[in-house]
Amino acid sequence: MNPVTTTTPAPGEFHVVGDDIRDEAAPTGPIERRWDDRKFNAKLVNPANRRKIKVIVVGTGLAGASAAATLGEAGYQVVSFCYQDSPRRAHSIAAQGGINAAKNYRNDGDSIYRLFYDTVKGGDFRSRESNVYRLAQVSVNIIDQCVAQGVPFAREYGGLLDNRSFGGVQVSRTFYARGQTGQQLLIGAYQALERQIGAGTVEMNTRHEMLEVILVPDADGTERARGIVVRDMVTGEIETHTADAVVLASGGYGNVFFLSTNAMGSNTTATWRAHKKGAYFANPCYTQIHPTCIPVSGEYQSKLTLMSESLRNDGRIWVPKKEGDDRPASQIPEDERDYYLERIYPSFGNLVPRDIASRAAKYQCDDGKGVGPGGLGVYLDFQDAIARLGRPAVEAKYGNLFDMYARITGEDPYSEPMRIYPAVHYVMGGLWVDYDLQTNITGLFCTGEANFSDHGANRLGASALMQGLADGYFVLPNTLADYLAASPFEKVADDHPRVVEARQEVEERISTLLKINGTRTVDSIHKELGHIMWEYCGMERTAEGLTKAVGLIRELKNEFWTNVKVTGENEELNQTLERAGRVADFLELGELMCIDALNRAESCGGHFRAESQTEDGEALRHDDQFAYVAAWEYDTAGEGKTPILHKEPLEYEYVEMKARSYK
């Protein structure tokens, strides 16, 4: 870890400022050569030595499954963990619309550089140039890899792979498999993983949840990640597993809001445990609000359903021009409809980036023009597309999405417009990693949505699948080899003091949860946390609201640890205990998210501060003050109450930082 120099907080401040940090692994030179040079200069591990090296991979989504399969095929001993009953149930399977790649099959002006530029601009100039350019480079290899695996991408009449466009771009670069791209890509990665399980290079542990990371010092005092502590979710047995390196690919933390598009089990425990052991948590306030979700239907709803952004290719978004107009959509004539995205952003229209489309929908509903229950919805209308293309063509592209909408709402989207409203979806924040995907803890790597590295303040649609597979198939296998060239390290026994200590920490935390025996359910506290987060740290934030939220979360955290009721025992299948541990971590993370949002007194991407906007309501950045990655260190002395902020300055050589405009 870097040495820490802190300043004393002034009254009312929630954090202290530490030393600036740098990505020491980042290469220099021409940007188009950096990744190739890094790969060439990386140390290699010969095949005979790989068989002696063990790597733990936590998570089996696109990033985790592709990493475990690739490392297993390279000959390493891989031990894989997931909390689901099958790797195929990872939340990556829910992704719908597509995966980006700079293939330029449409000959419409796309290129690696344009994908790089669109991604940096889409992230509101808050991401690293080197990382994003590498992502664009690797994207072209991902498609070839997946086609070779048999992923059934959509094809044109002549047999060539088809493309569609997504928000924030003016080219067609998104490869897709109807509205189930994530499912098809995950099946491809899963098959590769299962092949290695069959070959004996990967050991699969399902229904196991990581609850702690094990750090062991070398002879020279360097703390290295050497293992994890997991709980067998069926028997309750606490197990310790050691290895030469640990890879976290455990996904995002959107469920801190309770209602989100994430799977119910998605959580932050793996990354938060690493954070509390010293790993920096970067940009936690950067949350993506997705503009096309089915609106909330009632108080007892436990999650939200995403309707793919790909629908914005052919669907038109509108609201009634007249406030309070509650007529059915079919009775509102064309001249009384406001296609507001096409009106405000004529260059991009319905394909503006997600953060802009989400705020625009919120503003329409705030102005009383929303549709559906509570006026919390806007129309996504396919009547023009059906008239232009014919219903069979629309069914071929989006049929499964239309069927899903009909099953959930009881409405027919072929005859009536869909109703949509923004909802929490993806998170751009995560563990801080360097160019090699290594955290500031030696030997602890982090991939996919669990890290912060590529998307800045807002992720462009179809880039999540791209990053997950880029990290797992192409980036990590090269950079991890460079680290493992110095291994195998000295074996860590099960009775090593650090292993025993980590196990005891987990056992004590579980015991504490079971002993509280209060009166409130875990879900009631989680739901209250979600209300606080959505109200004060959601689509729009203010200094006053964020300050209030920190106080409310601290009160709720105290309520949790004194009055929550966790039934059952550890030595059994106990889903209440599972949820309790996750909510305990969400409470701490939620507080840090609000502190990060309060510190970042600017608007950028998914982080919109009401005090920082242009005259026409667009996000107003302050590059002179906030052009940095906010990397937070857990304050062990203060039990996290005064987190330490380390700033990594962002420098742009190839893209000019300017006001983002899609008009």
Side-chain angles (χ1 to χ4, degrees), residues 433-451:
V433 292
D434 62 16
Y435 188 77
D436 288 350
L437 304 183
Q438 185 170 206
T439 70
N440 59 298
I441 294 178
T442 305
L444 180 66
F445 292 75
C446 190
T447 64
E449 191 181 357
N451 73 33

Side-chain angles (χ1 to χ4, degrees), residues 625-640:
Q625 301 175 60
F626 296 103
Y628 61 77
V629 175
W632 295 91
E633 180 181 357
Y634 187 81
D635 175 25
T636 54
E639 296 182 348

Side-chain angles (χ1 to χ4, degrees), residues 247-276:
V247 179
L248 301 184
S250 51
Y253 50 85
N255 273 352
V256 69
F257 289 86
F258 186 73
L259 285 179
S260 81
T261 67
N262 288 261
M264 290 294 292
S266 297
N267 63 85
T268 190
T269 292
T271 50
W272 194 252
R273 291 293 112 201
H275 173 58
K276 295 187 76 169

Side-chain angles (χ1 to χ4, degrees), residues 5 121 231 252 272 404 519 573 609:
T5 303
K121 178 184 175 183
R231 178 178 180 270
W272 194 252
M404 182 170 67
T519 61
L573 176 65
R609 285 286 294 271

